[in-house]
């Protein structure tokens, strides 16, 4: 799967709610699938959206790994090789299988530094984030909670379908995420997104302009809706 540089730039400029709106336009209607459905926390809410192809894994922190230490280390190294593979941009999407009672943070100063150094575009996880204030600037982690310990956290699986916050993600899915949550952009719709984003933004303008002007009334709202409906 690939994405043009122009499309990637446009996706990065727009927040995740706008991407959800544009997907509805492309698909011809609303949907209740394909996006996160629980609140998230972000390492830095001021950062722009992260966009990339999913490199997926599962972790667990509530109990120690059952494999010998050498096997645990080998799987961790295989994980790093996997997430750094391909042309990118890549986003790491990690399902913590302790959900909804996640207790150990995989994501903190060490992992952010390593993943940023490997060129990863960002992280989406339903797990725990820690080391706030110590994370390398410019790397976004969208997580499920904040906590102090890593407990027994370890990687259990890589390159498999995962579910985070009710959103199913397959390896290589294109994911868009920010402080609001995340959405999967189906491959068939990727290059349709720039035009769809343009339309949904332009359709909002007549209503926003009318609502923010002095003397706003229901009659003016009705006229603005009609004007918006004519934008194709």
């Amino acid at each position: 799967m690939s994405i043009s540089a122009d499309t990637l730039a446009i996706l990065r400029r727009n927040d995740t709610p706008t991407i959800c709106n544009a997907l509805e336009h492309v698909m011809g209607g609303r949907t209740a699938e394909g996006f996160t459905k629980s609140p998230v926390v972000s390492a830095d809410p001021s950062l722009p959206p992260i966009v990339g192809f999913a490199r997926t894994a599962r972790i667990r922190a509530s109990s120690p790994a059952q494999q010998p230490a050498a096997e645990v280390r080998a799987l961790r190294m295989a994980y790093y090789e996997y997430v750094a593979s391909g042309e990118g941009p890549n986003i790491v999407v990690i399902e913590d299988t302790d959900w909804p009672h996640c207790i150990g943070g995989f994501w903190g100063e060490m992992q952010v530094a390593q993943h940023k150094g490997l060129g990863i575009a960002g992280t989406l996880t339903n797990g725990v984030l820690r080391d706030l204030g110590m994370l390398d600037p410019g790397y976004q982690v969208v997580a499920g909670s904040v906590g102090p310990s890593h407990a027994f956290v370890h990687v259990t699986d890589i390159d498999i379908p995962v579910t985070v916050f009710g959103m199913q993600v397959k390896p290589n899915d294109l994911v868009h995420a920010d402080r609001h949550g995340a959405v999967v952009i189906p491959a068939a719709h990727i290059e349709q997104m720039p035009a769809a984003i343009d339309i949904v933004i332009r359709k909002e303008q007549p209503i926003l302009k009318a609502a923010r002007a002095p003397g706003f009334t229901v009659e003016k709202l009705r006229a603005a809706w009609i004007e918006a409906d004519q934008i194709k």
Side-chain angles (χ1 to χ4, degrees):
M1 191 184 302
S2 62
I3 183 172
S4 70
D6 288 345
T7 296
L8 180 61
I10 291 169
L11 292 176
R12 285 173 171 164
R13 286 200 300 267
N14 289 276
D15 64 16
T16 303
T18 299
I19 302 305
C20 289
N21 291 350
L23 275 173
E24 291 173 357
H25 178 80
V26 169
M27 294 185 296
R30 298 192 179 189
T31 179
E33 300 298 330
F35 54 88
T36 55
K37 302 177 179 68
S38 298
V40 301
V41 296
S42 54
D44 183 351
S46 69
L47 286 176
I50 54 176
V51 186
F53 297 107
R55 293 292 181 265
T56 59
R58 293 195 187 105
I59 59 173
R60 184 173 68 247
S62 59
S63 58
Q66 300 302 305
Q67 298 80 13
E71 291 184 17
V72 174
R73 172 66 66 88
L75 180 57
R76 180 69 70 90
M77 290 300 106
Y79 161 82
Y80 290 125
E81 291 176 352
Y82 163 61
V83 300
S85 65
E87 296 181 2
N90 293 343
I91 284 182
V92 173
V93 182
I94 292 190
E95 177 183 359
D96 189 327
T97 56
D98 290 326
W99 173 267
H101 304 294
C102 302
I103 64 167
F106 184 78
W107 290 96
E109 182 182 15
M110 293 292 290
Q111 292 302 329
V112 165
Q114 293 170 83
H115 285 74
K116 184 178 181 182
L118 290 172
I120 309 303
T123 294
L124 172 67
T125 180
N126 61 348
V128 178
L129 170 66
R130 64 182 196 148
D131 293 338
L132 299 180
M134 301 174 67
L135 305 176
D136 286 30
Y139 189 94
Q140 184 67 286
V141 180
V142 178
S145 60
V146 174
S149 176
H150 53 213
F152 296 108
V153 73
H154 58 282
V155 175
T156 60
D157 303 281
I158 63 175
D159 197 16
I160 35 77
V162 296
T163 301
V164 288
F165 306 112
M167 181 180 76
Q168 296 181 349
V169 182
K170 300 185 298 298
N172 296 317
D173 276 348
L174 185 66
V175 176
H176 187 288
D178 67 7
R179 60 184 178 173
H180 302 91
V183 63
V184 171
I185 303 174
H189 301 326
I190 292 174
E191 294 303 331
Q192 296 174 281
M193 292 301 291
I197 291 168
D198 175 68
I199 289 174
V200 298
I201 290 175
R202 286 192 291 114
K203 287 175 75 70
E204 291 175 346
Q205 296 313 302
I207 299 170
L208 292 173
K209 181 179 178 181
R212 290 167 175 164
F216 184 54
T217 64
V218 172
E219 289 72 21
K220 291 181 179 180
L221 173 61
R222 184 177 293 110
W225 275 38
I226 292 172
E227 181 181 350
D229 287 341
Q230 294 172 346
I231 297 174
K232 305 295 184 182

